[in-house]
Amino acid sequence: MLQLLAGEIAVVTGGASGIGRATARLFAEHGAAVVVADRRREPREGGVPIDREISDTGGRATFVECDVRRAAGRDAAVAAAEELGGISVLVNNAGIFRVGGFLDVTEDDYDLVTEVNVRSAYFMAQAAARAMVPRGRGVVVNLSSVAGLRGAAGCTVYCATKGAIRLLTYAMADELGPHGIRAVAVHPGYIATAMNTDDVPSLGTPAEADYVAGIPLRRVADPAEVAKAALFAASDLASYVSGSSIVVDGGRTAS
């Protein structure tokens, strides 16, 4: 198999589960050494930790306990990548989702979601870019959401944070481009992950069926399908792609 990331060193935040886990697996299959950065090593879906799975199948991976809200965790993830040869790819995947009507959101809710989804992503990218700039190359893939492209009732704070990630990506591309660093936003739609199962009460209900009926491809996505978009963005196949958005939603946003 053509290895699109041979020799690359990637950090995937929130890499133990869901989209992050699928991304770490796919990156390793394509030759990257992967630093799985997460608050806990055990996947929410159950099963073997992804760093062990990758190592057991002949790939290179290491786990770093990392709360992206804390500078110590972010720095530890970059340091682990530097030990492997130097970070060249960051996938800013860690994030949280909270359901709540606009009139019901508390300041604590707002602060938590924005801290994890925006502030942490900003400073994680900053830490990675500081290591990339002297080498004159690198890629930052920021996981946004279709919620960052259009509003939705019941998740106003989440929409605000994911819209911020989209514009952060564009601004990063403008500023870091002269240093040879690309920045790309990936916008997943409705994805079958443990986080959605845990955090979105409508899963498995008629409301979910109605949502799926509005997707032109008539199904939800597997996390591996989002990972493929991240792989493209991180690889030389996207060597002239920066300050761009890749939407992975089965056509829903366009419909």
Side-chain angles (χ1 to χ4, degrees):
M1 181 181 70
L2 175 65
Q3 291 196 317
L4 296 176
L5 297 179
E8 305 292 353
I9 313 297
V11 171
V12 180
T13 68
S17 302
I19 292 171
R21 179 183 178 89
T23 300
R25 178 188 293 115
L26 188 60
F27 278 27
E29 289 174 358
H30 278 269
V34 181
V35 175
V36 178
D38 209 315
R39 288 190 304 164
R40 59 182 186 183
R41 187 172 180 232
E42 294 71 26
R44 294 176 74 165
E45 306 91 338
V48 176
I50 188 60
D51 58 303
R52 187 194 308 167
E53 177 186 314
I54 291 170
S55 298
D56 288 347
T57 54
R60 291 197 297 161
T62 185
F63 174 80
V64 172
E65 185 176 345
C66 172
D67 182 342
V68 292
R69 296 174 298 173
R70 307 287 179 253
R74 299 189 295 265
D75 291 343
V78 173
E82 292 300 288
E83 290 178 6
L84 291 173
I87 185 172
S88 55
V89 179
L90 167 66
V91 179
N92 248 336
N93 168 73
I96 60 173
F97 183 89
R98 291 292 184 272
V99 174
F102 177 72
L103 299 180
D104 301 319
V105 171
T106 67
E107 291 190 23
D108 286 344
D109 292 334
Y110 181 94
D111 289 345
L112 177 61
V113 177
T114 54
E115 182 180 25
V116 174
N117 290 1
V118 182
R119 183 180 182 277
S120 298
Y122 186 104
F123 287 108
M124 186 73 236
Q126 183 188 75
R130 283 175 171 163
M132 294 173 179
V133 165
R135 301 187 186 102
R137 65 183 298 270
V139 185
V140 177
V141 180
N142 290 320
L143 267 291
S144 180
S145 166
V146 293
L149 301 174
R150 57 190 294 181
C155 56
T156 53
V157 181
Y158 185 76
C159 290
T161 63
K162 291 306 183 178
I165 288 297
R166 177 169 59 91
L167 291 182
L168 170 62
T169 302
Y170 297 172
M172 287 173 55
D174 192 21
E175 184 165 341
L176 297 176
H179 299 285
I181 299 170
R182 296 187 294 108
V184 181
V186 174
H187 297 264
Y190 192 55
I191 312 299
T193 67
M195 182 180 80
N196 282 340
T197 302
D198 291 346
D199 296 341
V200 184
S202 62
L203 281 175
T205 67
E208 180 195 11
D210 289 343
Y211 185 94
V212 172
I215 300 173
L217 291 183
R218 296 297 191 269
R219 64 178 180 84
V220 299
D222 184 272
E225 294 177 293
V226 183
K228 290 174 185 177
L231 173 66
F232 167 75
S235 76
D236 281 343
L237 292 177
S239 58
Y240 204 59
V241 177
S242 191
S244 301
S245 288
I246 302 173
V247 182
V248 188
D249 72 344
R252 180 171 174 84
T253 301
S255 68

